[in-house]
Amino acid sequence: MALNFPNPSRSFDASRKGVRFVGHDGVFEVPFFIEADALAKASKAAHRPEASQDDCLSAFDRLRSAIHDVAREIHGSRRRSSYTLNASDFR
């Protein structure tokens, strides 16, 4: 079964500075976390150490399709119970 993202929910994790979201592989929930640096690189914006919750969530929403594509690629190549997407995952 392919990884999909039927639930558009996402949340900001202030302690880790990034956004959490969930995918589904069949009946299995697959948690993801994307670092603020990755959001900045994917959006071609300069990373600001003080990136706010609104900055991160807005960037995630703008880049949702690309983020999901990267998440699918990584999930397909290395099966884990959870994933952290970082700047090196975005070319």
Side-chain angles (χ1 to χ4, degrees):
M1 184 131 240
L3 183 68
N4 60 53
F5 300 90
N7 184 347
S9 296
R10 78 286 189 270
S11 62
F12 181 70
D13 184 328
S15 66
R16 289 187 63 198
K17 298 283 190 256
V19 176
R20 294 186 176 283
F21 63 103
V22 177
H24 292 270
D25 188 353
V27 298
F28 299 102
E29 204 171 76
V30 184
F32 287 88
F33 175 80
I34 182 168
E35 298 173 341
D37 286 345
L39 288 167
K41 180 176 182 180
S43 66
K44 311 271 191 281
H47 173 67
R48 298 184 341 223
E50 71 285 350
S52 72
Q53 174 177 335
D54 290 341
D55 293 337
C56 287
L57 293 176
S58 292
F60 183 91
D61 291 341
R62 281 192 313 277
L63 300 165
R64 186 181 300 267
S65 180
I67 291 166
H68 288 173
D69 289 345
V70 169
R72 281 186 194 96
E73 181 181 324
I74 289 172
H75 177 68
S77 68
R78 49 186 166 170
R79 299 286 171 133
R80 296 190 177 149
S81 59
S82 67
Y83 300 88
T84 296
L85 306 180
N86 57 49
S88 68
D89 294 318
F90 293 84
R91 298 170 197 51

